[in-house]
Amino acid sequence: MWGDSEGAYSLTSSDDLSKCLYQTTGPAHIPYNDSRWQQLLLHYDRLVHLHSATLSTHDDVVGTACAQCAKYSATSSNLAALTLHISRMLRDLQSDLEHYSNNSNEGGDGKHRIIIIGKARATCGALNLLRLLSHETIVQACDSAKAQDTTNTTTNNQDGANYYSEQPTAAGNDTNYLLKESFTYRSRQSSGSGDQENDAAVQIISTMMLFLSTVGKTTTTT
């Protein structure tokens, strides 16, 4: 198996990758074009081996990053920015695969294969990170809504009997609202700068479907 599994399982808070994770999952907005995203994704050899469970006595870097992401992604747009980057990486890889399949009889196959393998590994690392962060964000969004539901719907009256409150669930604790906000990238630039809001969930889903269809076609034709 490729990658640095030992490095992934022995992360400490002082590690460069840990610092990148803490910054990009924290409360501060990291713009889509910020170089910190590239710095994070260049650690793909360890990102691909990250796991949500702590397997050592070292700092629970992954758990902390996941908890931060779940807490702040709806307001920071950082999870959405990461999702957009991974969508771009998948589109780039899909394009290379399609080009390689259509031109496999031409020279330079070895060079193209190396490029594709490198991009595939970087994309795998990024996807594993997205899997971990998205899972925790979705779980926490659902738990938050359930907790709000329990608080708002069941109350004791003066006789001690339970009754259902008519109060609606607060928008900030609604699962759909929280997830929509978490996967919507909102630029902090001025309103005249163009792309202010981007649905990262739609992009990653459509890109994955296109990628899978391309992989299916290239597999059957080679």
Side-chain angles (χ1 to χ4, degrees):
M1 178 65 178
W2 64 272
D4 183 7
S5 58
E6 183 178 349
Y9 294 142
S10 60
L11 278 179
T12 62
S13 296
S14 59
D15 190 275
D16 287 342
L17 173 56
S18 302
K19 293 176 182 177
C20 288
L21 286 170
Y22 291 155
Q23 286 182 353
T24 54
T25 59
H29 172 69
I30 309 295
Y32 174 80
N33 292 323
D34 195 285
S35 61
R36 281 172 286 186
W37 292 114
Q38 183 181 18
Q39 294 171 15
L40 170 65
L41 297 174
L42 282 174
H43 291 284
Y44 61 86
D45 59 331
R46 283 186 289 173
L47 290 177
V48 75
H49 289 288
L50 291 184
H51 195 276
S52 58
T54 304
L55 301 180
S56 70
T57 57
H58 295 282
D59 300 342
D60 186 9
V61 174
V62 177
T64 301
C66 287
Q68 284 194 164
C69 182
K71 183 177 182 180
Y72 300 120
S73 60
T75 54
S76 70
S77 288
N78 290 341
L79 180 59
L82 174 64
T83 305
L84 291 175
H85 274 290
I86 297 173
S87 298
R88 172 188 53 79
M89 294 169 72
L90 276 170
R91 288 193 299 270
D92 191 24
L93 180 59
Q94 177 266 329
S95 177
D96 281 356
L97 282 171
E98 200 165 39
H99 177 79
Y100 178 79
S101 176
N102 294 334
N103 300 277
S104 57
N105 294 326
E106 299 180 3
D109 281 0
K111 179 181 178 181
H112 291 155
R113 285 177 64 88
I114 291 173
I115 292 173
I116 289 173
I117 289 171
K119 289 183 177 181
R121 289 182 174 182
T123 305
C124 285
L127 281 170
N128 188 48
L129 176 61
L130 179 62
R131 175 185 69 85
L132 293 169
L133 298 179
S134 297
H135 177 266
E136 185 65 20
T137 300
I138 293 169
V139 168
Q140 292 301 320
C142 292
D143 287 347
S144 177
K146 287 178 181 177
Q148 185 68 26
D149 252 2
T150 302
T151 302
N152 283 349
T153 58
T154 305
T155 311
N156 289 324
N157 62 18
Q158 292 180 351
D159 298 326
N162 291 333
Y163 71 95
Y164 290 99
S165 170
E166 297 296 329
Q167 299 176 2
T169 301
N173 288 309
D174 177 75
T175 302
N176 292 333
Y177 173 82
L178 288 172
L179 294 180
K180 180 180 183 298
E181 292 300 302
S182 295
F183 287 96
T184 299
Y185 180 80
R186 288 187 170 84
S187 174
R188 303 302 195 266
Q189 297 175 352
S190 60
S191 58
S193 60
D195 197 12
Q196 293 295 302
E197 188 172 302
N198 208 324
D199 191 334
V202 170
Q203 284 209 30
I204 192 67
I205 292 171
S206 60
T207 304
M208 280 186 170
M209 295 303 293
L210 178 60
F211 175 78
L212 291 174
S213 66
T214 300
V215 171
K217 286 190 294 184
T218 55
T219 302
T220 56
T221 56
T222 54

